[in-house]
Amino acid sequence: MIFSNFVFAIFFSFSCWGQAPSAVVKKAPVVDVKKLKADDTTGRRQFSDDELQQKFFNNKSVSKKSSTESTKLFLPVFYERMENPLARIQARGFGQLTGLVNLEIDGSAMIAILNELVEKKALQKFSSVADECQKLSGTKDGVAVATENVCWTNIDRFKDSEVLVEFSEQRLEIRIRIPAELRTKKISSLLRYGSANFDEVTNEPSFFSSYLNFNMSQDFRSDIINLKNGRQPLAGQYDSGTRIGDVVVEAKARSIEKRREIPSSDPAFIREDVRVVTDFSSLGQRAQVGDLTYPVRGFQTFRPMAGASLFTQLSLQSSQLTLPTGNYELFLKRPSKIAIFINDQLIQTLALPAGRHNLRDFPFVVGLNDLKLEITDDLGIIEVQNYSYFSSNELLKLGQNEISYSVGAPWTETAGLRIYDSDKLTFSAFHRYGFTQSLSLGAHLQADPFQTVAGFEFLFSTKLGYFSIEPAYSINQDAPSGYAARLRYIVQDSTEKDKNTQFTSFEVGGFSDDFAPLGVRKPINPLNAKFQATHSRALSKTANVNLSLGYNFNRVLSNKTTDAYSLSVGGTKRWFDGFSSNVSFRHTRNAVNIEEISVLLFIVWAFPKERQFVTASTESASGTSRADWTYQPTAGVGGFTSRVNVQEKQKGSAYGESIDYVGNRGRLSQSHQVDVIDEDRSQNPFVPKRSVHATNLQAASAIVFAGGRFALSRPVTDSFAMLIPLENLKEQNVLVNPQKDGSYLAGTDWLGTAVVPELPSYSLTTIVLGQKDLKQSVSLPQDHFDLKPGYRSGYAIYIGTDANIYLKTKLINEQSEPVSLVAAQVIYLDDLKKDQVTVFTNRSGLLRSEGFRAGRYRLEVTDSDYEPFEFTIPENTPAEFELPPLQLKARKK
């Protein structure tokens, strides 16, 4: 019943809930640089010199002004190769046939912009301008909101051999170029997409959105004879997320094909977890009702149950845990891409300009983190930097809380049905608090009608390392009370000269005979106490060694019982770029006195430019050797990953392959593995080898809904964005975040809407629309969208415009002379809510602009003595429409 209600909610009438939020474009104050936002969202294409030789932004040019009267306008300011301006600043100059002369700009605004981009030492070059503007504005820091007292400064005063402030008379724009060594340090947080910039969130998610993922899997095995062709039952996995306002409904299910050859009492469709989730972002906490997922700590155990929970969600906070004090600083001489690997897993890729950068907010895991930064500049030169950081004690910041409170009825699954036991109502909780930067304390409790487990947690750091002390106590209705304790010590050192690190940890734990974790009614504890130690250190930038020792003091449960231990010694060596090896020796003995000695050799040979790598391993104890080759030419839509493997085992060999394909609307994968088994020839030496073939086929896709629209997509991982093309983009191929290698995140096609299904929640993600493949007469009013979705959010973003008519005409005065170099606003009279179109004329009075639709318009020349002029574009007008010359009349005095 719960699941059926949820499915109904997914497809609830979108006419009630759907909405398509339009882009929110904020016009910022002129000189408050941290809030500056490019307000030119028209996105119209650059006009040719023949069409527009002078293009004025926002206002204010009048062709009839005298030569002694200056022209005022707003100029966009661009940084390096940025496509969108950082800001617009006031400017004035004298218009002549050759263009603007004696150009002056708002000096306070330019100083404020340079203050954000240029190192303070280099800013001394413009100290005289800053001092003059400070006196005029009366401020102390030189950042003043422009009023009637504009600090007019000739642009030539910003000329410098290093910091280049260049004015383009043809484009009427200012572009700032700064050498890498003079740029201010930029902080790149890995909790957001890309490097720090001045962009803000441009779109809000839909009030109602939903998605349904489905993954179908089909297996074939040659050794199954009771099924035709060895085809096993078709299996399906489904999960969905529906968001209504601030509330999210999550549900999961699975299906299995019913086959007569395999009798089963399980239903064909089985409901799994269903829950309602809401986040309290300001508190960094998440609440759930339904089938719960909740964190546990210390000696707690996770018990599946349905109920209610409230716990800290670290992804909601910028930084809950204490992060390393050292800075990961980079100095890039050229624009580069930074691939960030943690423990050989690609975490994120940043595109950063030249200059100084500080990387922070790494998603470190508990334990040792091998951090690798692979830097590729725009010339293709690759540099690799390696670091290590150990995140262990999870010390909280001063005043920070980490909580988890859950209560519910545990459940078990029988014949595909969940049975909830309300007689075993369970409570699970822990609370941790950061008393100082180096001290965190916590307590935890779990209880049901038959058992109680409670404990404490003491975490503190010293100059000698980190310490963790965790005592616990259990009360059991069916057994005596018991206790347990654990002590950890961790230390990490690094040498500043070569950044080599060494890491050491010790852990000691003990358990009484009757200590019972939750769910264990009659405990049997063969383990009396245990000791574990690890040590690793870098011998050089290319080599390191590691050592681990574990020893279990076991209770004597039989005459075969003995203590158990494990000893491991190993090392890693990088021989040259892309080629490294790892060798380890291990000696173990288990609780029944069976020993095993093994040697493992592992080799990795990577070819980053070719997008290939090869791994090979051999292990002595099992007598198994394996080699794998992987090829991944592109990671986006249309990309695939192919793998080939061969194995040699004690009783045979094996080989296989797999291919994973990323499509615009789904994912496909297939694998085939062959095991060649050597039969026992002791009775018959002529028994042939037997081969077992196993094939797996998978197809995954999703149906998404937002803003009253449905679309087909790849499976949604968290949040998603639907990019819905309007009239001028129909039958156009719009790519989302296109890359140089031809890959992209999503794209419009014959199904229309493009869907980006992998948006991480609570992280700023930039979506960029590619315009390379669009027709010349097609424009994108907005091609950048900055999104920061909540948990399981969906966006409906309309791209393009239904104003797809390209207007051509000429403005003339009453003497039939061209009205040259003027700006005008064109108002759509049939719908005054539509955005006005700003148009310009060249020296010949020619007007060329897109952004029109059929209907009535009024043209008003900015700051002029001309009367408004009304005209009409008829229905069924072609994409390019030319009006006869429009004759403007002078205003009556």
Side-chain angles (χ1 to χ4, degrees):
M1 183 64 183
I2 296 176
F3 185 77
S4 63
N5 290 338
F6 166 69
V7 174
F8 174 77
I10 292 179
F11 300 103
F12 190 72
S13 175
F14 55 80
S15 62
C16 297
W17 296 108
Q19 68 175 14
S22 59
V24 179
V25 181
K26 302 177 181 179
K27 292 187 177 181
V30 175
V31 293
D32 189 355
V33 177
K34 293 187 180 296
K35 297 181 180 179
L36 287 174
K37 181 70 179 176
D39 60 0
D40 179 18
T41 60
T42 61
R44 299 187 183 91
R45 62 184 176 87
Q46 293 291 328
F47 298 94
S48 66
D49 292 344
D50 183 56
E51 293 174 325
L52 275 182
Q53 296 179 9
Q54 296 290 337
K55 182 177 179 183
F56 282 20
F57 294 84
N58 289 359
N59 61 356
K60 295 177 178 179
S61 174
V62 181
S63 61
K64 294 297 183 180
K65 286 185 178 180
S66 65
S67 60
T68 60
E69 189 176 354
S70 64
T71 295
K72 291 184 180 179
L73 63 156
F74 282 84
L75 295 178
V77 180
F78 295 86
Y79 174 50
E80 293 290 341
R81 302 177 183 176
M82 288 180 62
E83 298 180 0
N84 292 328
L86 289 174
R88 299 183 181 281
I89 63 174
Q90 295 187 74
R92 67 183 183 183
F94 295 93
Q96 296 183 0
L97 291 178
T98 57
L100 288 174
V101 296
N102 297 329
L103 181 67
E104 293 180 325
I105 61 175
D106 184 346
S108 295
M110 182 56 68
I111 290 295
I113 294 172
L114 293 176
N115 189 55
E116 292 292 322
L117 303 176
V118 184
E119 271 199 332
K120 290 186 177 181
K121 291 182 179 180
L123 275 178
Q124 296 299 319
K125 302 176 180 182
F126 312 109
S127 59
S128 61
V129 178
D131 293 342
E132 292 174 10
C133 292
Q134 285 178 10
K135 293 177 182 178
L136 179 63
S137 61
T139 61
K140 294 181 180 180
D141 55 6
V143 179
V145 177
T147 61
E148 64 274 12
N149 295 323
V150 178
C151 182
W152 293 115
T153 306
N154 194 293
I155 195 169
D156 290 340
R157 298 188 63 181
F158 289 98
K159 284 190 175 180
D160 183 73
S161 60
E162 293 181 314
V163 179
L164 303 180
V165 179
E166 302 173 338
F167 168 63
S168 172
E169 191 172 351
Q170 180 180 351
R171 295 178 177 271
L172 284 181
E173 69 181 26
I174 297 174
R175 195 165 290 272
I176 301 174
R177 305 181 190 277
I178 307 168
E181 60 272 12
L182 297 183
R183 296 177 187 173
T184 54
K185 182 190 300 181
K186 298 298 179 183
I187 295 176
S188 296
S189 170
L190 299 193
L191 297 179
R192 55 174 292 168
Y193 181 93
S195 57
N197 52 44
F198 302 104
D199 288 342
E200 300 173 3
V201 174
T202 59
N203 294 74
E204 296 297 332
S206 296
F207 179 82
F208 178 84
S209 62
S210 183
Y211 70 85
L212 173 63
N213 294 334
F214 47 92
N215 188 330
M216 309 306 295
S217 178
Q218 178 66 72
D219 287 309
F220 298 85
R221 288 191 62 90
S222 63
D223 57 345
I224 298 180
I225 59 175
N226 62 330
L227 293 174
K228 185 178 180 180
N229 299 324
R231 187 180 74 84
Q232 296 183 287
L234 178 67
Q237 192 72 38
Y238 315 92
D239 68 273
S240 61
T242 300
R243 187 178 185 93
I244 307 174
D246 294 330
V247 178
V248 176
V249 180
E250 295 180 303
K252 292 184 178 181
R254 69 181 188 271
S255 65
I256 189 74
E257 180 187 4
K258 303 291 284 186
R259 301 284 295 275
R260 288 179 297 176
E261 303 96 323
I262 308 178
S264 174
S265 59
D266 290 354
F269 188 85
I270 300 172
R271 177 186 70 81
E272 297 182 340
D273 289 351
V274 176
R275 68 181 69 91
V276 178
V277 182
T278 186
D279 286 342
F280 303 99
S281 301
S282 59
L283 301 176
Q285 295 173 3
R286 175 168 293 171
Q288 293 183 355
V289 177
D291 297 307
L292 303 179
T293 60
Y294 56 93
V296 294
R297 289 191 65 84
F299 290 92
Q300 291 183 322
T301 57
F302 178 80
R303 169 176 281 184
M305 60 185 183
S309 65
L310 176 68
F311 54 90
T312 300
Q313 183 67 21
L314 299 183
S315 63
L316 294 173
Q317 304 179 3
S318 59
S319 178
Q320 170 78 1
L321 306 181
T322 301
L323 294 176
T325 56
N327 292 324
Y328 296 98
E329 292 191 358
L330 297 174
F331 177 76
L332 304 177
K333 295 182 179 180
R334 305 186 61 84
S336 305
K337 285 189 176 181
I338 317 297
I340 300 168
F341 297 83
I342 296 180
N343 296 334
D344 294 326
Q345 296 293 319
L346 179 62
I347 302 300
Q348 194 166 350
T349 300
L350 302 178
L352 304 180
R356 295 181 177 85
H357 297 272
N358 187 305
L359 305 184
R360 67 180 186 186
D361 296 332
F362 287 86
F364 287 131
V365 298
V366 175
L368 186 63
N369 293 265
D370 290 322
L371 172 64
K372 181 175 72 173
L373 305 179
E374 187 177 280
I375 305 168
T376 306
D377 66 15
D378 56 354
L379 299 179
I381 300 175
I382 299 176
E383 178 185 354
V384 177
Q385 297 184 10
N386 293 280
Y387 305 89
S388 292
Y389 173 70
F390 190 86
S391 173
S392 60
N393 287 330
E394 299 181 358
L395 285 169
L396 300 177
K397 292 183 177 181
L398 174 63
Q400 290 278 3
N401 288 277
E402 185 181 0
I403 66 170
S404 174
Y405 293 93
S406 304
V407 61
W411 59 265
T412 56
E413 185 175 303
T414 303
L417 298 176
R418 291 196 174 186
I419 301 174
Y420 298 89
D421 191 351
S422 58
D423 294 333
K424 293 183 180 180
L425 197 66
T426 301
F427 176 75
S428 177
F430 72 77
H431 196 132
R432 303 172 65 234
Y433 182 77
F435 284 88
T436 68
Q437 288 290 114
S438 58
L439 174 64
S440 297
L441 301 181
H444 62 80
L445 174 69
Q446 283 188 318
D448 65 14
F450 310 100
Q451 288 181 272
T452 300
V453 180
F456 295 94
E457 188 177 16
F458 303 88
L459 307 175
F460 56 94
S461 64
T462 68
K463 294 182 179 180
L464 300 177
Y466 296 87
F467 291 86
S468 170
I469 303 174
E470 301 175 39
Y473 188 76
S474 68
I475 300 174
N476 193 344
Q477 180 177 295
D478 298 333
S481 299
Y483 60 85
R486 184 161 50 210
L487 169 66
R488 292 177 180 152
Y489 168 69
I490 300 162
V491 62
Q492 182 182 21
D493 297 323
S494 64
T495 57
E496 294 296 329
K497 183 178 180 181
D498 52 13
K499 301 294 182 182
N500 290 340
T501 61
Q502 60 181 19
F503 163 77
T504 305
S505 71
F506 296 94
E507 179 179 330
V508 178
F511 308 85
S512 69
D513 289 347
D514 300 304
F515 178 78
L518 187 69
V520 181
R521 299 287 297 278
K522 296 181 179 180
I524 298 177
N525 290 330
L527 182 62
N528 186 28
K530 69 175 183 179
F531 168 79
Q532 187 169 356
T534 62
H535 177 77
S536 65
R537 65 185 305 139
L539 301 179
S540 65
K541 292 183 178 181
T542 61
N544 64 70
V545 295
N546 57 79
L547 168 69
S548 67
L549 171 65
Y551 198 94
N552 291 348
F553 299 90
N554 294 316
R555 291 185 172 89
V556 178
L557 302 179
S558 69
N559 56 0
K560 294 184 179 180
T561 301
T562 183
D563 291 344
Y565 63 82
S566 173
L567 173 65
S568 176
V569 181
T572 301
K573 171 67 176 178
R574 179 167 59 88
W575 301 93
F576 50 84
D577 286 345
F579 186 85
S580 62
S581 63
N582 177 280
V583 61
S584 63
F585 167 84
R586 188 177 183 184
H587 183 188
T588 62
R589 186 180 72 183
N590 61 19
V592 293
N593 202 26
I594 298 177
E595 295 190 37
E596 183 178 272
I597 299 176
S598 64
V599 177
L600 171 66
L601 175 64
F602 189 81
I603 296 174
V604 178
W605 196 356
F607 307 89
K609 292 184 178 181
E610 291 78 14
R611 308 291 180 90
Q612 303 179 49
F613 66 90
V614 177
T615 62
S617 64
T618 181
E619 201 265 326
S620 62
S622 63
T624 300
S625 298
R626 176 177 178 132
D628 293 77
W629 169 79
T630 302
Y631 175 52
Q632 186 179 19
T634 58
V637 173
F640 65 91
T641 302
S642 58
R643 302 178 182 88
V644 176
N645 72 83
V646 293
Q647 300 178 53
E648 188 65 35
K649 300 176 287 188
Q650 285 184 341
K651 293 185 178 181
S653 59
Y655 56 90
E657 54 78 29
S658 67
I659 297 178
D660 299 315
Y661 174 77
V662 179
N664 193 30
R665 307 291 177 179
R667 291 178 177 270
L668 300 174
S669 65
Q670 71 84 27
S671 64
H672 186 78
Q673 193 72 22
V674 180
D675 284 323
V676 182
I677 302 172
D678 285 339
E679 300 289 355
D680 185 1
R681 294 183 173 83
S682 59
Q683 302 297 326
N684 184 356
F686 302 102
V687 175
K689 293 182 179 180
R690 180 169 58 92
S691 297
V692 176
H693 293 253
T695 302
N696 175 260
L697 303 176
Q698 291 191 41
S701 189
I703 299 173
V704 299
F705 173 86
R709 297 291 192 102
F710 287 94
L712 192 66
S713 164
R714 295 192 305 278
V716 177
T717 57
D718 187 344
S719 296
F720 66 91
M722 298 171 56
L723 302 168
I724 307 165
L726 291 175
E727 188 67 28
N728 72 325
L729 292 181
K730 289 185 177 179
E731 300 181 0
Q732 296 290 314
N733 186 20
V734 182
L735 305 182
V736 180
N737 286 26
Q739 304 297 316
K740 291 183 178 179
D741 60 5
S743 64
Y744 52 95
L745 286 183
T748 60
D749 52 23
W750 62 277
L751 290 175
T753 301
V755 183
V756 180
E758 297 104 356
L759 297 180
S761 56
Y762 304 105
S763 297
L764 189 67
T765 301
T766 298
I767 291 177
V768 181
L769 305 182
Q771 304 186 46
K772 181 179 179 182
D773 298 327
L774 300 182
K775 295 180 180 178
Q776 186 177 3
S777 60
V778 174
S779 70
L780 295 174
Q782 186 177 2
D783 62 356
H784 285 67
F785 304 92
D786 295 320
L787 312 178
K788 193 173 184 180
Y791 183 62
R792 307 289 194 214
S793 295
Y795 290 81
I797 302 173
Y798 285 86
I799 58 176
T801 177
D802 58 355
N804 58 340
I805 296 177
Y806 186 76
L807 178 65
K808 301 178 181 180
T809 189
K810 182 177 183 179
L811 300 186
I812 59 176
N813 59 21
E814 293 174 299
Q815 291 76 37
S816 297
E817 297 172 343
V819 180
S820 60
L821 300 179
V822 299
Q825 297 294 322
V826 183
I827 302 168
Y828 186 51
L829 299 179
D830 290 344
D831 187 354
L832 297 178
K833 294 182 180 180
K834 298 290 186 181
D835 292 337
Q836 298 180 11
V837 180
T838 303
V839 296
F840 312 91
T841 64
N842 64 7
R843 289 189 177 90
S844 301
L846 297 177
L847 184 154
R848 303 285 189 270
S849 179
E850 52 202 2
F852 290 87
R853 54 177 67 82
R856 298 179 301 113
Y857 289 88
R858 183 173 68 248
L859 182 145
E860 297 179 355
V861 180
T862 308
D863 290 352
S864 76
D865 296 328
Y866 292 113
E867 292 280 356
F869 185 91
E870 294 189 8
F871 63 93
T872 300
I873 298 179
E875 295 290 341
N876 301 321
T877 297
E880 291 193 9
F881 177 68
E882 185 167 0
L883 275 173
L886 304 181
Q887 190 172 51
L888 305 181
K889 296 181 180 181
R891 292 182 186 271
K892 295 181 181 180
K893 303 269 182 160

